[in-house]
Amino acid sequence: MLSFAGKRLLGLGHRVSAAAVAGRGYHERVVDHYDNPRNVGSFDKNDPSVGTGLVGAPACGDVMKLQIRVDEESGKIVDACFKTFGCGSAIASSSVATEWVKGKKMEEVLSIKNTEIAKHLSLPPVKLHCSMLAEDAIKAAVKDYEAKKAKEGNADAATQVEKA
């Protein structure tokens, strides 16, 4: 038997209706991304073309994993996915972030700010930390990808030295 938290993480737990959430003052975009989240899932974290960002907010218990897949030739993010354990605003922020990073170069996605995500979703002030998590997850995924590339580059250099 899955615990309530496990069911919630997998999307099997109790779900509040969109009408009830909308009645509490959430913008229709939050409700839409909560009810129909885009790009839910995960990639193989050991894939060298994948960067993984895992961030959390201890104050509220939200945890967000955002992954990007990068085309090594063009340097563009060709795919993105997320898994989030948290409130509707955190799920919506993750969903929006994955949509916004697709098709952009690494430098471009680093310019995505939490304020833009919060404005797009019309998040109330008490939920701004959700958009901050999304920005942090993007940065962490890019950092992870770049660290993999640097490690791969160092391994290639070491192999060439050994051959010489």
Side-chain angles (χ1 to χ4, degrees), residues 97-114:
T98 59
E99 286 192 318
W100 285 7
V101 300
K102 285 183 179 182
K104 293 187 176 157
K105 290 193 174 273
M106 304 285 275
E107 308 82 45
E108 291 178 78
V109 300
L110 291 174
S111 69
I112 295 173
K113 299 294 177 209
N114 68 291

Side-chain angles (χ1 to χ4, degrees), residues 57 60 62 87 123-134:
C60 65
D62 292 344
C87 65
L123 292 178
V126 73
K127 294 295 183 177
L128 292 180
H129 66 279
C130 298
S131 63
M132 291 177 198
L133 275 179

Side-chain angles (χ1 to χ4, degrees), residues 30-104:
V30 174
V31 176
D32 179 41
H33 280 275
Y34 175 76
D35 282 341
N36 307 296
R38 282 65 147 184
N39 309 307
V40 175
S42 61
F43 302 134
D44 178 5
K45 67 180 180 178
N46 297 317
D47 182 339
S49 68
V50 171
T52 302
L54 183 63
V55 295
C60 65
D62 292 344
V63 179
M64 188 178 293
K65 179 176 83 169
L66 187 140
Q67 293 180 297
I68 56 174
R69 176 169 284 133
V70 181
D71 177 45
E72 296 180 30
E73 290 182 23
S74 68
K76 286 188 176 182
I77 297 171
V78 294
D79 204 0
C81 63
F82 79 94
K83 283 190 177 181
T84 295
F85 177 82
C87 65
S89 296
I91 292 167
S93 295
S94 305
S95 179
V96 166
T98 59
E99 286 192 318
W100 285 7
V101 300
K102 285 183 179 182
K104 293 187 176 157

